[in-house]
Amino acid sequence: MFDRSLAVSVHSLDYPSHILGFVSRKRTFYKTRLQPVLATRPSSVLLHTDDSGKCLESKNKSGLDTASLGSDTLLKQANTIGIIGGLSVDSTLNFLRKLVQQSDGENCPPFVLCSDPVLSKELLLHERNSFPSISGKSEHAQLNPTLIVENLQSKRAFLEKSGAQCIVMPCHISHTWHDEVSKGCSVPFLHVGECVAKELKEANLKPLEAGSPLRIGVLATNATVTAGFYQKKLQREGFEVVLPDKATMDHTVIPAIDALNRKDVEGAQNLLRIALQVLLVSAVNTVILASDDMRDLLPQDDPLLRKCIDPMDILARSTIKWALSADKGS
């Protein structure tokens, strides 16, 4: 059901069709069979696009012509989730897999996914512009952040019209503009930073050093660190936030991303391990690994990963928790 296409509910809204369910055809991302949108009602529609986002064909699972589908086919379940894709198709699909895993597969709530390759390129450009030492800033085209905000707002509106009752953005960079994008939203719009801070607060962690505050490390790209939303949300819950100092960023984090871009995985892994160890010696309880590039860099059995948390795991858990609550009408 979810090999090279996404099952989505399609309606004649005033938005380009290519922003819904874009999937690169270069690889198959999942072995797990996902349960996207609705399996039975309303009829799901398979929307295929090529790598440029051009719509190739549309089919719905019941065999009906999409033009015959009326407005009553929009998702109306109280627990429908709207998902705005982020920096890459890989990271977006990874979040979907987390949703399935958190909901025991068959019980995954209905969702509408909006993933736009144009937005992905804009976010990637924004992130790269935050690393002038990797490649001269003069080589990068300048992007007006207003364009990103407007793009994200249009997708939020699309999801609301599609019947989403809660919206999430499984993308660290996109949360730079969460306040602007969520302004005026008619449904709950989860914030990954708030979800992380809340879960850590509920964990009742104890300081590693007697008499010291609870310390949480944050390891991320320049763009996410500069945005500061993880720091703000954690500090609001009483945590002390520890960030890599300038020397660590300049000599480990940035070179690690540079090495990864050069396909030097081993070099990137070694540099990431150093950066993590620098934070851990500061007596932090855990390190928030707030980077899609860093998330899957180390082997899953690496001992350092036991000291880290993936914010997207927490966002998925928070999303499922909301969906269960909405499904029960509470």
Side-chain angles (χ1 to χ4, degrees):
M1 184 184 295
F2 212 110
D3 295 326
R4 293 190 177 183
S5 58
L6 294 176
V8 294
S9 180
V10 173
H11 186 252
S12 56
L13 301 175
D14 293 329
Y15 294 90
S17 62
H18 73 271
I19 67 174
L20 183 61
F22 172 83
V23 179
S24 172
R25 290 172 172 267
K26 293 181 179 179
R27 68 180 76 174
T28 299
F29 295 95
Y30 291 105
K31 295 181 180 179
T32 304
R33 292 180 67 84
L34 303 183
Q35 301 296 323
V37 195
L38 292 172
T40 55
R41 62 183 194 279
S43 299
S44 295
V45 175
L46 293 179
L47 179 63
H48 300 262
T49 64
D50 60 17
D51 290 335
S52 67
K54 182 179 179 181
C55 183
L56 297 178
E57 59 182 70
S58 294
K59 298 179 181 177
N60 63 64
K61 294 187 63 179
S62 65
L64 296 176
D65 188 289
T66 57
S68 67
L69 299 178
S71 60
D72 60 344
T73 62
L74 287 177
L75 298 179
K76 296 183 183 298
Q77 281 80 347
N79 63 337
T80 299
I81 300 164
I83 305 170
I84 301 177
L87 198 63
S88 71
V89 176
D90 287 292
S91 60
T92 301
L93 294 182
N94 185 62
F95 179 75
L96 293 182
R97 180 169 55 187
K98 293 178 186 296
L99 279 183
V100 172
Q101 293 171 341
Q102 295 293 338
S103 58
D104 297 324
E106 296 299 324
N107 297 316
C108 184
F111 64 81
V112 182
L113 168 64
C114 192
S115 185
D116 180 5
V118 173
L119 175 61
S120 297
K121 291 177 181 178
E122 292 173 345
L123 294 171
L124 181 60
L125 178 59
H126 176 79
E127 183 180 60
R128 286 179 175 173
N129 280 344
S130 71
F131 283 110
S133 60
I134 290 181
S135 180
K137 223 174 188 181
S138 60
E139 298 179 13
H140 291 163
Q142 296 301 305
L143 178 67
N144 183 353
T146 301
L147 298 177
I148 298 179
V149 173
E150 291 175 350
N151 201 334
L152 290 169
Q153 287 173 333
S154 71
K155 287 163 179 55
R156 187 211 80 194
F158 174 85
L159 293 173
E160 288 178 280
K161 287 188 177 183
S162 297
Q165 298 301 307
C166 177
I167 294 176
V168 295
M169 291 190 299
C171 173
H172 306 286
I173 300 297
S174 295
H175 279 78
T176 302
W177 307 280
H178 183 278
D179 290 347
E180 295 97 314
V181 178
S182 63
K183 186 176 181 180
C185 187
S186 61
V187 300
F189 197 136
L190 302 188
H191 189 297
V192 66
E194 290 180 355
C195 293
V196 169
K198 182 179 180 181
E199 184 166 305
L200 288 175
K201 185 72 173 181
E202 293 174 349
N204 294 318
L205 302 173
K206 304 298 181 183
L208 297 184
E209 296 179 346
S212 298
L214 278 168
R215 296 191 180 102
I216 304 296
V218 176
L219 191 60
T221 62
N222 273 359
T224 300
V225 170
T226 301
F229 54 86
Y230 278 112
Q231 300 92 297
K232 179 180 178 181
K233 302 300 182 182
L234 289 166
Q235 290 167 353
R236 185 173 295 175
E237 292 293 344
F239 295 105
E240 180 179 303
V241 180
V242 180
L243 301 172
D245 58 20
K246 187 176 186 303
T248 302
M249 289 295 292
D250 290 345
H251 299 295
T252 60
V253 179
I254 294 176
I257 300 297
D258 188 21
L260 191 59
N261 290 336
R262 300 193 316 269
K263 311 296 184 184
D264 179 9
V265 176
E266 183 178 355
Q269 289 176 335
N270 292 334
L271 289 165
L272 176 58
R273 289 188 178 101
I274 294 172
L276 286 172
Q277 289 166 347
V278 169
L279 287 177
L280 291 171
V281 297
S282 300
V284 299
N285 285 73
T286 189
V287 175
I288 297 172
L289 204 52
S291 166
D292 292 330
D293 287 328
M294 300 176 191
R295 182 193 63 224
D296 297 323
L297 187 54
L298 297 181
Q300 290 303 305
D301 59 351
D302 193 299
L304 284 174
L305 286 183
R306 300 173 189 169
K307 299 289 186 178
C308 301
I309 59 175
D310 180 354
M312 295 307 154
D313 284 330
I314 295 179
L315 182 60
R317 284 196 289 272
S318 300
T319 302
I320 294 301
K321 184 177 181 180
W322 172 88
L324 291 173
S325 176
D327 194 36
K328 294 177 181 177
S330 59

